[in-house]
Amino acid sequence: MELLSTPKNIEINNITCDSFRISWAMEKGDLERVTHYFIDLNKKENKNSNKFKHRVSPGRGGCGTPCPGREVRGAAGREGLPEGDGDALMSPSLPPDYAKEHLAQLQEKAELIAGRMLRFSVFYRNQHKEYFQHVRMHCGNVMKPSLKDNSGSHGSPTSGMLHGIFFSCNTEFNTGQPPQDSPYGRYRFQIPAQRLFNPNTNLYFADFYCMYTAYHYVVLGSSGDLFCRERLPQLDISSNKFLTCCVEEGELVYRHAQDSILEVIYTEPVDLALGVLGEISGHQLMSLSTANAKKDPSCKTCNISVGR
């Protein structure tokens, strides 16, 4: 077996108490053969040297194509870096990407706390005013899928791999309407549920996590994305525990789980003309933001044991 070349121009930054970012350069020929990166954190015989190396892990090629530079926790994954670069966010004790059977275990845990189903009628997306201005001025009024960050479970295969647009659908139990507070910005795009979902929509379970709080998040992937079909457990859209769409008395009825905060990754572009954009009246609760949020590894409700 031909060995890979030694990485060059290694840099370490973004150091925190439990993670750090490593970047490096690779020979162009190696990029065609690499699917995943693994980092060896052991020191070499020379005690003054603490170099990092990467290698190919047979049987781990989940995305089907080489990934030139990945960003994950543990054993890496992000597409789209400049050719010849590698980039990994490392936390040495964390597991590799969950396989489907691991996600099935996580799904079972999420179902235990999902609670009763409440009706809703709109999906919504909160962002800052500048985001929607950019969509209108530079994207032809169309929100386009973007790469998911590293929020959620450390082993989630969607981190740094799945492109989509995050939507919410949770409602306040006393009003049946979306909450007026938001962690992501004071401007909200609302779209009728039937514009995005129907009984033929593909729905997948992607993640279940919390951020050192009592709130638990369930992440779902939607539409016909090939990555979802290959890596995530598919849900029956008419009878799952999180988000349903079914026909009742001749009309489409939508329901969401009461006791989980749902985040839906919609994998297709969405035109702003299909919905309504407005400013919310509540507060911007930055502490609830899930952007690159780390999962509480000690929570018994939303963690699973993954054998090595």
Side-chain angles (χ1 to χ4, degrees):
M1 181 178 68
E2 184 180 356
L3 297 177
L4 299 173
S5 61
T6 302
K8 303 176 182 178
N9 303 325
I10 299 171
E11 295 183 0
I12 302 176
N13 51 41
N14 290 8
I15 299 173
T16 69
C17 63
D18 65 355
S19 68
F20 51 87
R21 187 182 300 278
I22 302 175
S23 61
W24 65 88
M26 296 177 60
E27 298 293 338
K28 185 176 180 180
D30 288 343
L31 291 174
E32 300 174 355
R33 298 189 293 140
V34 174
T35 58
H36 286 67
Y37 296 95
F38 292 82
I39 309 297
D40 184 354
L41 298 177
N42 296 319
K43 283 191 173 183
K44 294 183 179 296
E45 292 181 3
N46 178 2
K47 294 182 179 180
N48 295 322
S49 174
N50 193 18
K51 294 181 179 180
F52 296 84
K53 61 185 178 181
H54 66 277
R55 60 183 175 82
V56 175
S57 174
R60 288 285 301 164
C63 59
T65 57
C67 302
R70 308 196 58 208
E71 178 181 331
V72 293
R73 300 180 177 277
R78 175 163 65 88
E79 292 183 351
L81 292 175
E83 186 172 325
D85 289 343
D87 191 3
L89 181 62
M90 283 300 304
S91 183
S93 62
L94 298 176
D97 290 353
Y98 290 153
K100 266 191 176 181
E101 55 265 32
H102 302 136
L103 287 171
Q105 295 176 36
L106 205 60
Q107 177 183 332
E108 290 179 4
K109 281 181 164 281
E111 290 174 345
L112 292 176
I113 71 158
R116 64 175 180 146
M117 304 294 284
L118 303 179
R119 289 186 64 158
F120 73 98
S121 60
V122 298
F123 287 97
Y124 56 92
R125 174 171 172 80
N126 289 84
Q127 281 288 344
H128 296 287
K129 183 178 182 180
E130 292 75 18
Y131 167 84
F132 292 109
Q133 287 177 334
H134 179 82
V135 169
R136 284 174 166 167
M137 296 177 62
H138 303 286
C139 303
N141 212 50
V142 175
M143 294 187 293
K144 298 179 180 179
S146 60
L147 198 64
K148 183 189 175 298
D149 64 12
N150 284 307
S151 60
S153 296
H154 304 301
S156 173
T158 63
S159 294
M161 292 296 290
L162 179 62
H163 288 77
I165 307 170
F166 272 97
F167 282 94
S168 300
C169 62
N170 289 83
T171 58
E172 295 181 324
F173 72 93
N174 56 336
T175 66
Q177 299 299 315
Q180 282 302 308
D181 300 323
S182 167
Y184 305 110
R186 293 189 56 81
Y187 283 79
R188 173 175 294 168
F189 173 72
Q190 292 191 164
I191 183 170
Q194 62 266 29
R195 296 279 191 178
L196 300 185
F197 273 61
N198 62 61
N200 297 318
T201 302
N202 295 319
L203 188 66
Y204 305 85
F205 177 84
D207 202 1
F208 177 48
Y209 68 100
C210 69
M211 304 179 300
Y212 302 89
T213 68
Y215 302 104
H216 275 85
Y217 294 80
V218 172
V219 182
L220 307 177
S222 73
S223 196
D225 188 89
L226 178 61
F227 176 89
C228 292
R229 293 200 296 272
E230 292 182 343
R231 300 298 301 276
L232 306 178
Q234 186 165 2
L235 300 174
D236 184 336
I237 197 169
S238 66
S239 63
N240 67 84
K241 299 289 187 178
F242 312 112
L243 171 65
T244 61
C245 169
C246 56
V247 179
E248 297 182 12
E249 298 181 355
E251 67 172 337
L252 290 177
V253 175
Y254 299 86
R255 290 184 172 89
H256 70 82
Q258 176 185 13
D259 296 331
S260 299
I261 300 177
L262 293 181
E263 294 185 322
V264 182
I265 307 176
Y266 191 75
T267 58
E268 304 293 333
V270 177
D271 196 319
L272 292 180
L274 297 176
V276 177
L277 180 63
E279 187 173 3
I280 62 174
S281 60
H283 301 286
Q284 185 175 339
L285 305 176
M286 297 298 293
S287 62
L288 295 182
S289 173
T290 60
N292 285 309
K294 296 179 181 179
K295 180 176 183 175
D296 179 1
S298 66
C299 179
K300 291 181 171 57
T301 300
C302 60
N303 280 283
I304 59 174
S305 178
V306 180
R308 303 225 179 178

